Amino acid sequence: MVLFLPDLRFIVDAAEGLIFSPAILSSSKNTSFDPATGAASGTTLAGADRERLRLAIARFSDAAASLVHHLLPRYQGKVSRARASFRPAEVAGRQTSWRKDDTRLHVDSFPASPVQGRRILRVFSNVNPEGRPRSWRVGGEFEVIASRFAGGLSLPWPGSAAILQTLRVTRSRRTAYDALMLQLHDRMKEDADFQERSPQEVVSFPSGSTWLAFTDQVSHAAMAGQYQFEQTLVVPVDAMMEEARSPLRILERLKGRRLA
Ligand code: SIN
Ligand code: FE
C-alpha cells in the first residue's frame, strides 16, 4: 500500500532554486544527507551553494520525520531516521546496470546498511518545478512475490556475515533476512517475465504531492520523473500492528526458520 497525500507540497524556496539541475550530482544518482552527522554528499556544489542544498535536504528530513511522527503515532519513539536524498536526475532513459535499474520492479534492500529485519519506510515528495509527475509502477502482494521466488533464495553460509562486516562491505551484520532480501531484489529485477506480466499498476505522483510506503514490501519501479526528495526511516517489526505481514515474518514462514 502507498499512502498518497496529494496536497502535501514540500516548498523549495526561490533562493534554493540552484538545486534544480542534474549538474549538481557528482558520480552518484542522488545527493544525500545524513541526519546523524548533518553532512551532505553526492554533489559537486561547494561553499554557500553546497550549504543551501544541505539545508534544503535537512529541512525535508525534518518535515518527513515530523509527518511520520504525527501521521503514524504508533511508531513514536521506535522509528529511526536514516539517510535523506534529493534526486535531480531524470529517471527515464538513465543508463545503468540491471541491478541498479530502478525502472524494474523491485523491493528495497540495502547492500551496505543491513536492516536486520526492520522495516524500510520511505517518504517521497515530488518537487518538479515544471509540474511533471513522478511515474511509478506498483506491483502485487509481497507474499505472492516472495512465494514465487522463495525457492531460488539461498541462506548465506555461516561466517559470511562476519567476513562482510570485517571487510567493511557492510556497516553492521548482514543477517540471513538481509541476504534473502538482497537476492529477492535481484531475482525480481532480472526476471523479464515477472517484470512484464506480473500484476502491476501505473501510479502517477503529481508535482506538489507527497507519498509514503514501506518499500521493502511494496514492489515499485520508478519510470519517469525528475526532482524528488526522499527520507528513509527504519521501524522495528515489533512496532507493527500486524507483525505477521512484515517481510521478515513472511520470509521466515516460507523458509521455515528464524532469519534475524
Ligand atoms: C526507488 O526506490 O526504487 C526509486 C524511487 C524513486 O526515485 O522514485
Ligand atoms: Fe526502490
Side-chain angles (χ1 to χ4, degrees):
M1 190 191 81
V2 176
L3 183 57
F4 176 45
L5 304 167
D7 299 319
L8 190 64
R9 180 188 295 271
F10 180 73
I11 293 170
V12 178
D13 302 330
E16 294 169 333
L18 60 95
I19 70 173
F20 292 124
S21 165
I24 69 167
L25 284 170
S26 52
S27 54
S28 46
K29 61 182 179 182
N30 305 326
T31 60
S32 66
F33 170 77
D34 183 351
T37 62
S41 56
T43 180
T44 54
L45 293 176
D49 289 349
R50 188 188 185 91
E51 184 60 6
R52 278 226 195 277
L53 171 68
R54 191 185 75 82
L55 289 174
I57 311 182
R59 201 158 52 76
F60 178 78
S61 178
D62 288 345
S66 167
L67 175 67
V68 167
H69 183 83
H70 291 102
L71 205 59
L72 307 167
R74 180 181 185 90
Y75 303 149
Q76 280 174 22
K78 295 180 175 166
V79 40
S80 53
R81 222 192 290 191
R83 276 167 183 276
S85 62
F86 175 64
R87 306 177 170 200
E90 170 56 54
V91 168
R94 194 161 55 187
Q95 293 304 310
T96 178
S97 67
W98 65 265
R99 189 174 272 124
K100 288 190 176 160
D101 181 2
D102 288 338
T103 68
R104 301 178 189 217
L105 281 170
H106 65 281
V107 287
D108 287 343
S109 176
F110 306 137
S113 306
V115 292
Q116 303 172 334
R118 294 174 299 162
R119 309 300 314 277
I120 300 171
L121 175 62
R122 287 184 142 169
V123 181
F124 301 92
S125 283
N126 179 0
V127 295
N128 188 284
E130 292 145 18
R132 277 194 289 133
R134 198 162 192 95
S135 178
W136 278 20
R137 289 186 290 147
V138 174
E141 277 293 310
F142 181 87
E143 182 137 21
V144 175
I145 294 170
S147 303
R148 171 176 177 147
F149 292 103
L153 307 180
S154 50
L155 293 164
W157 47 274
S160 59
I163 293 172
L164 291 172
Q165 196 173 352
T166 305
L167 295 177
R168 298 182 193 273
V169 174
T170 59
R171 292 192 186 88
S172 61
R173 197 169 61 87
R174 182 184 287 177
T175 64
Y177 171 74
D178 294 292
L180 294 186
M181 288 296 283
L182 284 168
Q183 291 173 57
L184 179 59
H185 167 277
D186 289 359
R187 295 297 86 77
M188 290 169 76
K189 279 190 174 174
E190 69 186 359
D191 187 328
D193 179 69
F194 171 77
Q195 291 294 327
E196 281 167 36
R197 282 183 272 279
S198 68
Q200 53 191 274
E201 57 182 311
V202 172
V203 183
S204 183
F205 301 104
S207 177
S209 70
T210 294
W211 64 104
L212 294 83
F214 280 111
T215 56
D216 53 359
Q217 183 159 28
V218 175
S219 52
H220 57 282
M223 306 310 292
Q226 189 177 17
Y227 304 120
Q228 168 179 257
F229 283 95
E230 171 271 335
Q231 170 69 54
T232 300
L233 300 117
V234 177
V235 191
V237 279
D238 61 13
M240 314 266 75
M241 194 118 75
E242 289 187 80
E243 192 176 327
R245 294 179 61 194
S246 66
L248 173 64
R249 300 298 177 226
I250 289 171
L251 285 177
E252 285 184 337
R253 281 200 298 281
L254 290 169
K255 285 295 185 186
R257 52 157 283 173
R258 278 189 73 91
L259 297 173

